[in-house]
Amino acid sequence: SEALNLETALDVILAYTAWGGVPRYWELMAESGLPLDRAVDQLVLHPMGPLHEEPERLLLEELPPAVALRPILDGIGLGAHRVSEIAARIGGPATSLSRPLQRLMELGLIQRDIPFDAPSASAKRSLYKIADPFCRMWFRVVAPNRGFLADAPARARERLWREAKPGLVSAVWEDLCRQWVSSAGTAQHAALKDKGDFETARRFWHREGPEWDVVSQTLDERVVLIGEVKWSESPVEPSKLRSLAKALLKKGIPPIKGLRDKELCHVVFVPEVTQDAPGEIDGVHVVTGNQVLSHER
């Protein structure tokens, strides 16, 4: 927010979705003097943009070069997150992906998501995603459309970004909310600070059942936080908060042994609320983008 002179949490989250955490990208954005959508087009989507080939350059700079791993990143960028799905995308056996995936994690290019109830060493239910928001955007928007972008007009290029933006920003907002819980952000929240210190927050999913965006428990395993993350580019009104709270409570709790015996703390995360929105609704706490982004990590 300071580097790009952004005042609202909404603008910060949108900018972070496009540029990630690399100051050089922020500098290019600031120097362009353009609004976000046009800056993404001129810096990234335009064939002559300075960041149009950025991830390819990063792969070449690794020692040894990691260009051979590019097909895996292409597959993940297009929505293949399970090992079997990635293997199908690249046309190879799933058994051959262990080492390439491990190297990509060591390079910080991908992350492995493990469900809340799974051991950290478990890979059976793992999902893989591109770690950096900028690279995630590049492999979603630029990589599969290089031929189209070569001679497409600016309006058509920007349309690709705008179509992909809701999904990309929703994923980034979820990541930030889990980081907030994991890095003791609850200690600065008036209603959550007395619950205790929480472990690393994760998602929970199991087969075809419902998913929970944020699940964590305190270090003493006394309290479990269950969160729903909702992205909206406009402030969320009380009626919408009530609907979100109702849906979260109706979903119940993850089917994990022993969870019902603990104190449950339900939280809805939204980037911004209207002035008349309450901090708690139907027993569900509301956490906003300002609270998430103002936390000192």
Side-chain angles (χ1 to χ4, degrees):
S1 58
E2 188 175 339
L4 297 178
N5 196 28
L6 303 174
E7 297 182 356
T8 71
L10 284 167
D11 287 339
V12 174
I13 297 165
L14 285 166
Y16 185 63
T17 298
W19 312 117
V22 181
R24 175 173 174 258
Y25 306 162
W26 307 347
E27 291 174 354
L28 290 171
M29 166 67 187
E31 291 168 0
S32 75
L34 298 171
L36 180 64
D37 290 353
R38 289 192 61 200
V40 168
D41 174 53
Q42 291 299 305
L43 299 176
V44 187
L45 306 186
H46 193 290
M48 299 301 293
L51 299 177
H52 187 68
E53 299 180 349
E54 181 70 1
E56 293 178 336
R57 182 185 66 80
L58 296 176
L59 291 172
L60 282 170
E61 286 182 350
E62 295 295 338
L63 294 174
V67 178
L69 304 177
R70 166 71 190 273
I72 296 177
L73 293 169
D74 285 331
I76 296 174
L78 288 173
H81 300 296
R82 293 179 170 83
V83 172
S84 58
E85 295 170 344
I86 299 170
R89 287 274 188 181
I90 66 176
T95 53
S96 67
L97 290 179
S98 178
R99 288 186 178 179
L101 289 171
Q102 183 61 38
R103 187 174 182 217
L104 285 170
M105 286 191 288
E106 291 171 352
L107 294 174
L109 292 173
I110 66 172
Q111 293 176 341
R112 183 174 69 180
D113 275 354
I114 302 170
F116 172 74
D117 64 326
S120 59
S122 173
K124 187 175 182 181
R125 292 164 60 194
S126 296
L127 299 178
Y128 293 88
K129 66 182 181 183
I130 296 175
D132 177 68
F134 170 82
C135 287
R136 197 181 301 172
M137 179 268 286
W138 193 91
F139 278 100
R140 173 65 180 84
V141 180
V142 179
N145 296 295
R146 295 292 289 274
F148 173 81
L149 293 171
D151 54 9
R155 184 174 298 180
R157 296 194 304 262
E158 286 186 33
R159 186 176 66 248
L160 287 178
W161 156 245
R162 288 195 298 270
E163 289 173 350
K165 184 165 63 171
L168 291 168
V169 72
S170 294
V172 163
W173 175 226
E174 281 192 27
D175 289 343
L176 291 171
C177 292
R178 285 189 288 269
Q179 290 174 25
W180 181 78
V181 175
S182 304
S183 57
T186 55
Q188 299 177 14
H189 189 279
L192 301 174
K193 62 183 180 181
D194 295 329
K195 301 297 183 181
D197 295 326
F198 284 89
E199 298 176 350
T200 300
R202 300 178 183 173
R203 295 167 55 209
F204 177 85
W205 67 90
H206 186 65
R207 296 178 182 173
E208 302 303 319
E211 296 186 6
W212 284 262
D213 299 326
V214 183
V215 184
S216 181
Q217 66 178 352
T218 52
L219 297 177
D220 60 10
E221 300 185 359
R222 180 179 57 86
V223 182
V224 174
L225 185 149
I226 301 174
E228 179 78 11
V229 180
K230 181 66 175 180
W231 170 254
S232 171
E233 287 201 36
S234 58
V236 179
E237 300 180 350
S239 59
K240 179 61 175 179
L241 286 175
R242 191 173 298 278
S243 297
L244 292 172
K246 183 178 180 181
L248 177 59
L249 293 172
K250 185 178 180 180
K251 192 186 295 186
I253 63 175
I256 301 172
K257 185 178 180 180
L259 212 58
R260 295 184 180 277
D261 301 327
K262 302 176 182 181
E263 178 185 346
L264 301 179
C265 180
H266 292 86
V267 180
V268 166
F269 296 86
V270 291
E272 189 175 346
V273 296
T274 57
Q275 291 185 350
D276 58 341
E280 181 180 339
I281 190 163
D282 296 337
V284 176
H285 302 291
V286 178
V287 173
T288 66
N290 280 332
Q291 292 169 316
V292 170
L293 298 179
S294 64
H295 171 50
E296 294 290 341
R297 289 177 172 82

